[in-house]
Amino acid sequence: MASTNTSGGTPIRVGILGASGYTGAELVRMLLRHPNVTIAALTAERQAGKPIAEVFPHLAGYGLPDLVKIDALDWNALDFIFCALPHGTTQEVIAGLPSHLKVVDLSADFRLTDPAEYAVWYGHEHRATDLQKEVVYGLTEFNRAAVATARVVANPGCYPTSSLLPLLPLLSKGLIESDRIVIDAKSGVSGAGRDAKQANLFCEVSEGFAAYGVGHHRHMPEIEQELRGVAGRPVTVSFTPHLVPMNRGMMATIYVRMTDGVTVDDLRAALAARYADEPFVGVTPAGVNPATRHVRASNHALIGVTADRAPGCAILVSVIDNLVKGASGQAIQNMNVMMGFGETTGIDQAPLFP
Amino acid sequence: MASTNTSGGTPIRVGILGASGYTGAELVRMLLRHPNVTIAALTAERQAGKPIAEVFPHLAGYGLPDLVKIDALDWNALDFIFCALPHGTTQEVIAGLPSHLKVVDLSADFRLTDPAEYAVWYGHEHRATDLQKEVVYGLTEFNRAAVATARVVANPGCYPTSSLLPLLPLLSKGLIESDRIVIDAKSGVSGAGRDAKQANLFCEVSEGFAAYGVGHHRHMPEIEQELRGVAGRPVTVSFTPHLVPMNRGMMATIYVRMTDGVTVDDLRAALAARYADEPFVGVTPAGVNPATRHVRASNHALIGVTADRAPGCAILVSVIDNLVKGASGQAIQNMNVMMGFGETTGIDQAPLFP
Amino acid sequence: MASTNTSGGTPIRVGILGASGYTGAELVRMLLRHPNVTIAALTAERQAGKPIAEVFPHLAGYGLPDLVKIDALDWNALDFIFCALPHGTTQEVIAGLPSHLKVVDLSADFRLTDPAEYAVWYGHEHRATDLQKEVVYGLTEFNRAAVATARVVANPGCYPTSSLLPLLPLLSKGLIESDRIVIDAKSGVSGAGRDAKQANLFCEVSEGFAAYGVGHHRHMPEIEQELRGVAGRPVTVSFTPHLVPMNRGMMATIYVRMTDGVTVDDLRAALAARYADEPFVGVTPAGVNPATRHVRASNHALIGVTADRAPGCAILVSVIDNLVKGASGQAIQNMNVMMGFGETTGIDQAPLFP
Amino acid sequence: MASTNTSGGTPIRVGILGASGYTGAELVRMLLRHPNVTIAALTAERQAGKPIAEVFPHLAGYGLPDLVKIDALDWNALDFIFCALPHGTTQEVIAGLPSHLKVVDLSADFRLTDPAEYAVWYGHEHRATDLQKEVVYGLTEFNRAAVATARVVANPGCYPTSSLLPLLPLLSKGLIESDRIVIDAKSGVSGAGRDAKQANLFCEVSEGFAAYGVGHHRHMPEIEQELRGVAGRPVTVSFTPHLVPMNRGMMATIYVRMTDGVTVDDLRAALAARYADEPFVGVTPAGVNPATRHVRASNHALIGVTADRAPGCAILVSVIDNLVKGASGQAIQNMNVMMGFGETTGIDQAPLFP
């Protein structure tokens, strides 16, 4: 099978740190089609020395570089870094990178701006607080200008992405109350990563549904930080993540109270107006709610708005693909903005169904 | 393959109306093991004349009666009826049954006690309002005495069962507020029935997650009716059902506000005390939440209680098998109570995992 | 959400007949990215008048034409037709098309070259036997020259594609015996189409595995016709299709006897040589067998070769995505050849995993 | 939730060695309903000290003994042992058991009667060859008398069970040829066990289909040993196992050549006659093939027989639940025979569908 590289212009040389996980594979899949990019390096500490096809047979035949250790990289041969390393180990790696490199970090290490809050949720002091100050939070639709000039972007978590897209415009316009927001979230299993854990075995997950991290999931403070930013006061959400027996997809079902005099049509109109010019975020018509299959394998987000029977309340249904808009797709979207490429370049695939 | 009937004493003769659906098959599966029961008649209007094995090959070899039309039944040859007919057609069938027959109705036709409310949600006048007055709502754990003397029992819906088991004890003891209860519910696909609908095809459901009936599902008024009964005032819940790509299983994730001074330990203790002597309802220890796989194919219900980060709030996680405790198992439990059999007879299987 | 059309040069105007099925949706998904194509018309008899997004919500936002009836089409506004209609109705539609239109037919109507054989397997006389004579069988890798000059191409079935790719080179070179070939094939559920049938409901398929059409599946004569062509004598295969609880993917496990003196390394080397320059067909190294996840959502085919313990025998494992290389992807590949576009244009996505 | 033990007579005291795996959990599930058995001990080396409910939450509430190490057992407090330990470690454990204990071993350690063959397939000398001589191979339907008097029974593998049930009667009657038998087998994922392995993660398995152990799976010699026994000459089968994205279920699709003058009706009649009085093995009518969902969670086996288009050939479709008739159910069936209990006691559940 012959390689099917495509390219255009002088592509930038991209390195992917942590290429043996699912988000790494997704980055490769999409970047292979990106005309402005050459995949120049792939790292995986424990798999170093192997061809990528041994770790991901579906990526055979593309002439990709072999997996190496981070220490073996020549930073001068690279222009851009995607960092898909585990939480905790990431911060020192990125802090040690030469300054000519732009970076999108897919870990949680730089998402919380307050080091004290980081320490509470992650159990240790942050080890790169200086760098943290310059990192830009990359929910692209809300930070486009800052992303464009950033050197390091913290890519949002999947739960925050699916929760913030519907909530931020409504809260910033004062259309909903900031207290008693309930976010009931559901994720495909790929969000749990590729490490061999009994809890993620097929037989433990298939034909079942489970909540996890009830009351204390680490994506909570990230959501609250961003909501606080637009609400102008502390926001505490009720948030419960669940595991769905599917590979990919994420839904947040969000219960909100509207401020006095506001209707669900107002909410829907506000979201539709906010996202009218956004290439990746859509609002479904009244009476229609999105399902995860409508965005599968794409960088799309879809939002539905419905009246709750509880007076003055509304139900928001928000869906993304957790590995694309919730991780690698949004990371490429941020790279496109940082590098001045077309924002949809390489991530404009239509969803896959069935 | 030889038949494997088991029996003991003089069994009652049971008829199952609507035996070609999933709840019908579940009734047969469990009743085959029930020592006090003989399956004497099975009806299915469109499949009449066929052996049950043609409709459900897994039920071949048990010497079961062929499928017939309801009109062809000899009511005098039967002692007990399970009615698993579609909503709407059920009420006239049951109203027309001879009075020597005891009945558990698995449809929604007799669950709402107020005919006006029924008319609002089902779009037509109730056609058996006299009978409705004597029907007992069969959430067994809360109506055991009335079920024991009832002639006709309305078997609860699956969503109400999973929602009411955690909520009723807490509300009746005044431990939680009756307003702003959010019930985010998730069901396996068998709840949608066996009719050929495009929306329930494997390719439409698998690898996806969807909300449905947002803001207007017919199980809402049933939940609210029962909550009202213990709260002593009208209760309006926020309720959203979702479809999980699995055959069976149901979870309700419930967000509640505690009344002043109440803690989550109080909630857990109250539930544990309430269900200590119940054979089918359990409460998980602090820090542990139940998953649907813990009750699969059993009549069990499990409830977990966790503190919400939102001050004064708690998260209840409630799981059942929608086809067993949520339908056919609870129906047999009600029959056992109505007939004076041991309450767990025939439905005491341990859960199936994996 | 804004539309994300891409194009280049003067695109041809493509019509898709039968756009409401899964193969129709796949054609749209891939053609949206094809720079030489504009999707100019979509038909669906029963859904005519609806926007495509009502039938396939994942295709909203692309500015696609509404669904219409075939009778409503202006053939002069089209250059190329993909015909994804049901078997049987297709032949008269295509026979009636104006001759300026080039066509790839995804149905089985023109795959069998012998009208007598067609009549045996489909139960009626072929109604376009004249046209049949000029139609080219579009297993692209084996008919490239003829496809390039054809006006109408019969796109191969999914089972024949996955079976013929490994068998044709081995049989034509005399490396395997033509008798007693066993093809045990397994398909994802999308191959069964989108019609509402009880047998394809989620609950009937999930958590199960089934054979179907044992001994008499209509893809048999198609496989045998092509094998006969290279063997130079009649070939009768043992062929059993099975249904796997997954949306897409197909595997053929093929048991063959090698001719005297031939080894499995010879088989592997012959296949590797045959496909060395093919962009879509790969051969796995000794000791490695392909799985369907290695080609998911791509136009790739992979073949593995292993020694059987039965002396002189070998086991071939062949995988494709039944909707892509087994249907819509190969159809576009054929269009590319017919129109002189780059053969991989629009279908060069890397596989999707997980 | 109260315990729901059932019992009758003076039950025997059963110990399960290796209770933390899937077959262990299945033994517990079924033995809880067995009136002649008390579950007296459960071992799990790495989980020793934990309640079983911590390892298998679905088994909470039954008053089961905590998990202990094998060394901690008092053999005098036990009457019967199920050994569900990993292959290789089992033989010395069983060889060291006091002789008053009867044993069913679910591992592969005592299935191969020839120590030389064992050494070839398992890579080390057998460490209990004396004991091996007295062990009885427990395919119950074919060894009932020997099982009844055995002290140690080797429970057959799942692939051999599904393959031998259709093949043994046909081969022993000379209705099929013993050469060129092709067994294409498919298993649910539970057959791969509960150890945390990347290959068995949900995301690696779901939405995919894969062959494994092609040409060299360890169940091959077990199948061939038993076929040799009835054929009276060496038999080499072509055998390929595959992994289906489902928890449980197994199908063997078997391709055979009939001896001269034999028809498929002869095959079907021979199988039907052979199994007419067997409680757990059935033969489907002409034109009907069994699917795994027809035997799910039951001890049933079903066999279908169909004419192959290849002249003189037939296709056998055989299904079981790999964890029940393929493991724990058949183990209990053997215990019932060894102890003189009713053979179907505790394992007479109807299949679970959906």
Side-chain angles (χ1 to χ4, degrees):
Chain A
M1 187 158 53
S3 156
T4 58
N5 280 330
T6 59
S7 66
T10 305
I12 61 170
R13 300 162 300 171
V14 165
I16 300 174
L17 311 189
S20 61
Y22 293 138
T23 52
E26 278 291 272
L27 286 167
V28 171
R29 176 178 72 86
M30 291 181 280
L31 291 174
L32 278 170
R33 298 288 308 276
H34 197 300
N36 307 115
V37 162
T38 292
I39 299 174
L42 301 171
T43 84
E45 299 304 298
R46 282 171 299 177
Q47 313 279 354
K50 293 184 184 170
I52 184 80
E54 203 166 307
V55 173
F56 287 121
H58 72 292
L59 295 177
Y62 291 101
L64 289 163
D66 287 350
L67 295 167
V68 297
K69 288 178 185 287
I70 293 175
D71 285 350
L73 290 180
D74 173 7
W75 299 117
N76 290 321
L78 298 172
D79 303 303
F80 199 96
I81 298 292
F82 289 101
C83 189
L85 298 171
H87 306 322
T89 64
T90 297
Q91 48 203 266
E92 285 167 312
V93 170
I94 295 182
L97 291 179
S99 62
H100 78 280
L101 290 170
K102 294 193 176 185
V103 182
V104 171
D105 177 28
L106 286 82
S107 86
D109 274 20
F110 293 99
R111 292 178 191 157
L112 297 183
T113 54
D114 179 356
E117 192 163 34
Y118 178 90
V120 166
W121 283 89
Y122 289 87
H124 65 89
E125 296 301 308
H126 200 284
R127 293 184 286 264
T129 49
D130 282 352
L131 178 57
Q132 170 60 58
K133 287 169 197 158
E134 67 163 284
V135 172
V136 170
Y137 185 75
L139 189 65
T140 328
E141 285 76 10
F142 290 85
N143 248 353
R144 197 169 270 125
V147 167
T149 60
R151 192 178 72 81
V152 182
V153 165
N155 211 53
C158 46
Y159 286 120
T161 297
S162 63
S163 301
L164 295 172
L165 288 173
L167 285 173
L168 285 181
L170 303 181
L171 208 51
S172 69
K173 282 191 172 294
L175 298 171
I176 59 172
E177 302 286 354
S178 65
D179 65 317
R180 201 74 183 100
I181 295 172
V182 174
I183 303 172
D184 193 276
K186 302 89 176 173
S187 174
V189 186
S190 57
R194 207 188 189 195
D195 285 347
K197 293 178 189 166
Q198 192 187 64
N200 297 331
L201 290 177
F202 182 89
C203 289
E204 307 287 316
V205 172
S206 177
E207 261 294 296
F209 186 83
Y212 68 99
V214 181
H216 59 78
H217 192 281
R218 285 171 172 175
H219 280 181
M220 277 179 164
E222 182 181 341
I223 294 171
E224 292 175 357
Q225 163 183 287
E226 298 304 307
L227 294 182
R228 185 170 62 225
V230 298
R233 79 185 76 89
V235 177
T236 302
V237 297
S238 297
F239 171 72
T240 309
H242 301 76
L243 202 62
V244 183
M246 61 184 182
N247 288 321
R248 36 171 92 212
M250 171 165 285
M251 178 183 287
T253 310
I254 306 177
Y255 301 83
V256 296
R257 276 194 304 160
M258 295 176 280
T259 46
D260 283 351
V262 172
T263 68
V264 291
D265 290 334
D266 294 337
L267 300 192
R268 194 181 304 106
L271 289 169
R274 173 62 185 82
Y275 292 120
D277 296 327
E278 289 291 346
F280 293 121
V281 188
V283 180
T284 54
V288 176
N289 274 293
T292 65
R293 68 178 179 276
H294 301 157
V295 298
R296 190 186 299 157
S298 83
N299 201 49
H300 296 180
L302 287 173
I303 305 170
V305 182
T306 310
D308 196 340
R309 283 187 71 233
C313 295
I315 301 171
L316 312 172
V317 173
S318 169
V319 298
I320 58 171
D321 184 312
N322 61 303
L323 287 181
V324 188
K325 182 62 179 171
S328 305
Q330 185 159 239
I332 296 173
Q333 186 181 358
N334 281 321
M335 176 197 74
N336 285 340
V337 174
M338 294 163 83
M339 301 302 298
F341 303 147
E343 188 169 325
T344 65
T345 310
I347 46 175
D348 57 349
Q349 301 96 331
L352 185 80
F353 175 77
Chain B
M1 186 159 55
S3 154
T4 58
N5 281 329
T6 60
S7 66
T10 305
I12 61 169
R13 300 162 301 173
V14 165
I16 300 173
L17 311 189
S20 62
Y22 293 139
T23 53
E26 277 292 272
L27 286 167
V28 171
R29 177 178 71 88
M30 292 182 278
L31 292 174
L32 278 170
R33 298 288 309 274
H34 198 300
N36 308 118
V37 162
T38 293
I39 299 174
L42 301 171
T43 84
E45 300 304 297
R46 282 171 299 178
Q47 312 278 354
K50 292 184 185 170
I52 184 79
E54 203 166 306
V55 174
F56 286 122
H58 72 290
L59 295 176
Y62 291 101
L64 289 164
D66 286 351
L67 295 167
V68 296
K69 286 179 186 288
I70 293 175
D71 285 349
L73 290 179
D74 174 6
W75 299 118
N76 290 319
L78 298 172
D79 303 305
F80 199 98
I81 298 293
F82 289 101
C83 189
L85 298 172
H87 306 322
T89 65
T90 298
Q91 47 203 267
E92 285 166 313
V93 170
I94 295 182
L97 291 179
S99 63
H100 77 279
L101 290 171
K102 294 193 175 183
V103 183
V104 171
D105 177 28
L106 286 84
S107 86
D109 274 19
F110 293 98
R111 291 177 192 157
L112 297 183
T113 54
D114 179 355
E117 192 162 33
Y118 178 90
V120 166
W121 284 88
Y122 289 88
H124 64 89
E125 295 300 307
H126 201 284
R127 292 184 286 264
T129 50
D130 283 350
L131 178 58
Q132 171 59 56
K133 288 170 196 159
E134 66 162 287
V135 172
V136 170
Y137 185 75
L139 189 67
T140 327
E141 286 76 10
F142 289 86
N143 248 351
R144 197 168 269 125
V147 167
T149 59
R151 193 178 72 80
V152 181
V153 165
N155 211 55
C158 46
Y159 287 120
T161 296
S162 64
S163 300
L164 295 172
L165 287 173
L167 285 173
L168 285 181
L170 302 181
L171 207 52
S172 68
K173 281 191 175 292
L175 297 171
I176 58 172
E177 303 286 355
S178 65
D179 65 315
R180 201 75 183 101
I181 295 172
V182 173
I183 303 172
D184 193 277
K186 301 90 177 174
S187 174
V189 186
S190 57
R194 208 188 189 196
D195 285 346
K197 293 178 190 165
Q198 190 186 65
N200 297 331
L201 291 177
F202 182 88
C203 291
E204 306 287 317
V205 172
S206 177
E207 262 294 295
F209 186 83
Y212 67 101
V214 182
H216 60 78
H217 192 280
R218 286 171 170 175
H219 280 182
M220 277 180 163
E222 183 182 339
I223 295 171
E224 293 175 356
Q225 164 183 286
E226 299 303 307
L227 294 181
R228 185 171 64 224
V230 299
R233 82 184 74 90
V235 176
T236 301
V237 297
S238 297
F239 171 73
T240 309
H242 302 77
L243 202 63
V244 183
M246 62 184 180
N247 288 319
R248 34 172 92 212
M250 171 166 284
M251 177 181 287
T253 310
I254 307 176
Y255 301 83
V256 296
R257 277 194 303 160
M258 295 177 280
T259 46
D260 282 353
V262 173
T263 68
V264 290
D265 291 335
D266 295 336
L267 299 192
R268 193 182 303 107
L271 289 169
R274 173 62 185 81
Y275 292 119
D277 296 327
E278 288 293 345
F280 293 121
V281 187
V283 179
T284 54
V288 176
N289 274 295
T292 65
R293 67 177 181 275
H294 300 156
V295 299
R296 190 188 299 158
S298 81
N299 202 49
H300 295 180
L302 286 173
I303 305 169
V305 182
T306 309
D308 195 340
R309 284 187 70 232
C313 295
I315 301 171
L316 312 171
V317 173
S318 168
V319 298
I320 58 171
D321 184 314
N322 61 304
L323 286 181
V324 188
K325 183 62 178 171
S328 304
Q330 185 157 242
I332 295 173
Q333 185 180 358
N334 281 322
M335 177 197 72
N336 285 340
V337 173
M338 293 163 82
M339 301 302 299
F341 304 147
E343 189 170 327
T344 65
T345 310
I347 46 175
D348 58 349
Q349 301 95 329
L352 185 82
F353 174 77
Chain C
M1 187 159 51
S3 155
T4 58
N5 280 330
T6 59
S7 65
T10 305
I12 61 170
R13 300 162 300 171
V14 165
I16 300 174
L17 311 190
S20 62
Y22 293 138
T23 52
E26 277 293 271
L27 286 167
V28 172
R29 175 178 72 87
M30 291 182 279
L31 291 175
L32 278 170
R33 297 288 308 276
H34 197 299
N36 308 116
V37 163
T38 293
I39 300 174
L42 301 171
T43 83
E45 299 304 299
R46 283 171 298 178
Q47 313 279 355
K50 295 184 184 170
I52 185 79
E54 202 167 306
V55 173
F56 286 122
H58 71 291
L59 296 177
Y62 290 101
L64 288 163
D66 287 350
L67 295 168
V68 297
K69 287 180 185 287
I70 293 176
D71 285 349
L73 290 179
D74 173 8
W75 300 117
N76 290 320
L78 298 172
D79 303 305
F80 199 96
I81 299 292
F82 289 101
C83 189
L85 298 172
H87 306 322
T89 64
T90 297
Q91 48 204 265
E92 284 166 313
V93 170
I94 295 183
L97 291 178
S99 62
H100 78 278
L101 290 169
K102 293 193 176 186
V103 182
V104 172
D105 177 28
L106 286 83
S107 86
D109 274 18
F110 292 98
R111 292 177 192 156
L112 297 184
T113 54
D114 179 355
E117 193 163 32
Y118 178 90
V120 166
W121 284 88
Y122 289 87
H124 64 90
E125 294 302 306
H126 200 284
R127 292 184 287 265
T129 50
D130 281 352
L131 178 57
Q132 170 60 57
K133 287 169 196 157
E134 66 163 284
V135 172
V136 169
Y137 185 75
L139 189 66
T140 328
E141 286 76 8
F142 289 87
N143 247 353
R144 196 169 269 124
V147 167
T149 59
R151 193 178 69 82
V152 182
V153 165
N155 211 54
C158 46
Y159 287 120
T161 298
S162 63
S163 300
L164 295 172
L165 287 173
L167 285 173
L168 285 180
L170 302 181
L171 207 52
S172 69
K173 282 191 172 294
L175 297 171
I176 58 172
E177 303 286 354
S178 65
D179 65 317
R180 200 77 181 100
I181 295 172
V182 173
I183 303 172
D184 194 277
K186 301 89 175 174
S187 175
V189 187
S190 57
R194 208 189 188 196
D195 285 346
K197 292 179 189 165
Q198 191 186 64
N200 297 332
L201 291 176
F202 182 87
C203 290
E204 307 288 315
V205 172
S206 176
E207 260 294 294
F209 186 83
Y212 68 99
V214 182
H216 59 79
H217 191 281
R218 285 173 172 174
H219 281 181
M220 276 179 163
E222 182 181 341
I223 294 171
E224 292 175 357
Q225 163 184 288
E226 298 303 308
L227 294 182
R228 186 172 59 227
V230 298
R233 77 185 79 89
V235 176
T236 302
V237 297
S238 297
F239 171 72
T240 308
H242 301 77
L243 203 63
V244 183
M246 61 183 182
N247 288 322
R248 37 171 91 211
M250 171 165 285
M251 178 182 288
T253 311
I254 307 176
Y255 302 83
V256 295
R257 276 193 304 161
M258 295 176 279
T259 46
D260 282 352
V262 173
T263 69
V264 291
D265 291 335
D266 295 336
L267 299 192
R268 193 181 304 106
L271 289 169
R274 173 61 184 81
Y275 293 119
D277 297 326
E278 289 292 344
F280 294 121
V281 187
V283 179
T284 55
V288 176
N289 274 293
T292 65
R293 68 178 180 275
H294 302 157
V295 298
R296 190 187 298 157
S298 82
N299 201 48
H300 296 179
L302 287 173
I303 305 169
V305 182
T306 310
D308 195 340
R309 284 187 70 234
C313 295
I315 301 172
L316 312 171
V317 173
S318 168
V319 299
I320 58 172
D321 184 313
N322 61 303
L323 286 180
V324 188
K325 182 61 178 170
S328 304
Q330 185 158 241
I332 295 173
Q333 186 180 358
N334 281 321
M335 177 197 73
N336 285 339
V337 174
M338 293 163 82
M339 300 302 299
F341 303 147
E343 187 169 327
T344 65
T345 310
I347 46 175
D348 57 349
Q349 301 96 330
L352 185 81
F353 174 78
Chain D
M1 186 160 52
S3 152
T4 57
N5 280 328
T6 60
S7 65
T10 306
I12 61 169
R13 300 163 300 173
V14 165
I16 300 173
L17 311 188
S20 61
Y22 293 139
T23 53
E26 277 291 272
L27 286 167
V28 171
R29 176 179 71 88
M30 291 183 278
L31 291 174
L32 279 170
R33 297 289 308 276
H34 198 299
N36 308 117
V37 162
T38 293
I39 299 174
L42 301 171
T43 83
E45 299 305 297
R46 282 171 299 177
Q47 312 278 355
K50 293 185 185 170
I52 183 80
E54 203 166 307
V55 174
F56 286 122
H58 72 291
L59 295 177
Y62 291 101
L64 288 164
D66 286 351
L67 295 167
V68 297
K69 286 178 185 288
I70 293 175
D71 285 348
L73 290 179
D74 173 7
W75 299 117
N76 291 318
L78 297 172
D79 303 306
F80 199 97
I81 298 292
F82 289 101
C83 189
L85 298 171
H87 307 322
T89 65
T90 298
Q91 49 203 265
E92 285 166 313
V93 170
I94 295 182
L97 291 178
S99 63
H100 78 278
L101 290 170
K102 293 192 176 185
V103 182
V104 172
D105 177 29
L106 285 83
S107 86
D109 274 19
F110 292 99
R111 291 178 192 157
L112 297 183
T113 55
D114 179 355
E117 193 162 32
Y118 178 91
V120 166
W121 284 89
Y122 289 87
H124 64 89
E125 296 300 306
H126 200 284
R127 293 184 286 264
T129 50
D130 283 350
L131 178 57
Q132 171 59 58
K133 288 168 195 159
E134 65 162 287
V135 172
V136 170
Y137 185 75
L139 189 65
T140 327
E141 285 76 9
F142 288 87
N143 248 352
R144 198 168 268 125
V147 167
T149 59
R151 193 177 71 80
V152 181
V153 165
N155 211 54
C158 46
Y159 286 120
T161 296
S162 63
S163 300
L164 294 172
L165 288 173
L167 285 173
L168 286 180
L170 302 181
L171 207 50
S172 68
K173 281 191 173 292
L175 297 171
I176 58 172
E177 302 286 354
S178 64
D179 65 315
R180 202 73 183 100
I181 295 173
V182 174
I183 303 173
D184 193 277
K186 300 90 176 174
S187 175
V189 186
S190 58
R194 207 187 189 197
D195 285 346
K197 293 179 189 164
Q198 191 186 64
N200 297 331
L201 291 177
F202 182 87
C203 290
E204 306 287 316
V205 172
S206 178
E207 261 294 297
F209 186 83
Y212 67 99
V214 182
H216 58 79
H217 192 280
R218 285 171 172 176
H219 279 182
M220 276 180 163
E222 183 182 339
I223 294 171
E224 292 175 356
Q225 164 183 286
E226 299 303 308
L227 294 181
R228 185 171 62 224
V230 300
R233 81 184 74 90
V235 177
T236 301
V237 297
S238 297
F239 171 72
T240 309
H242 301 77
L243 203 63
V244 184
M246 62 183 181
N247 288 320
R248 36 172 91 211
M250 171 165 284
M251 178 181 287
T253 310
I254 307 176
Y255 301 82
V256 296
R257 276 194 303 160
M258 296 177 279
T259 46
D260 282 352
V262 173
T263 68
V264 290
D265 291 334
D266 296 336
L267 300 191
R268 194 181 303 109
L271 289 169
R274 173 62 185 82
Y275 292 120
D277 297 326
E278 289 293 344
F280 293 121
V281 188
V283 179
T284 54
V288 176
N289 274 294
T292 65
R293 67 178 181 275
H294 301 157
V295 299
R296 191 188 296 157
S298 82
N299 201 48
H300 296 180
L302 286 174
I303 305 169
V305 182
T306 309
D308 195 339
R309 284 186 72 233
C313 295
I315 301 171
L316 312 171
V317 173
S318 169
V319 298
I320 59 172
D321 184 313
N322 62 304
L323 286 181
V324 189
K325 183 61 180 171
S328 304
Q330 185 158 242
I332 295 173
Q333 186 181 358
N334 282 322
M335 177 197 74
N336 285 339
V337 173
M338 293 163 82
M339 301 302 298
F341 304 148
E343 188 169 326
T344 65
T345 310
I347 46 175
D348 57 349
Q349 301 96 327
L352 185 81
F353 174 78

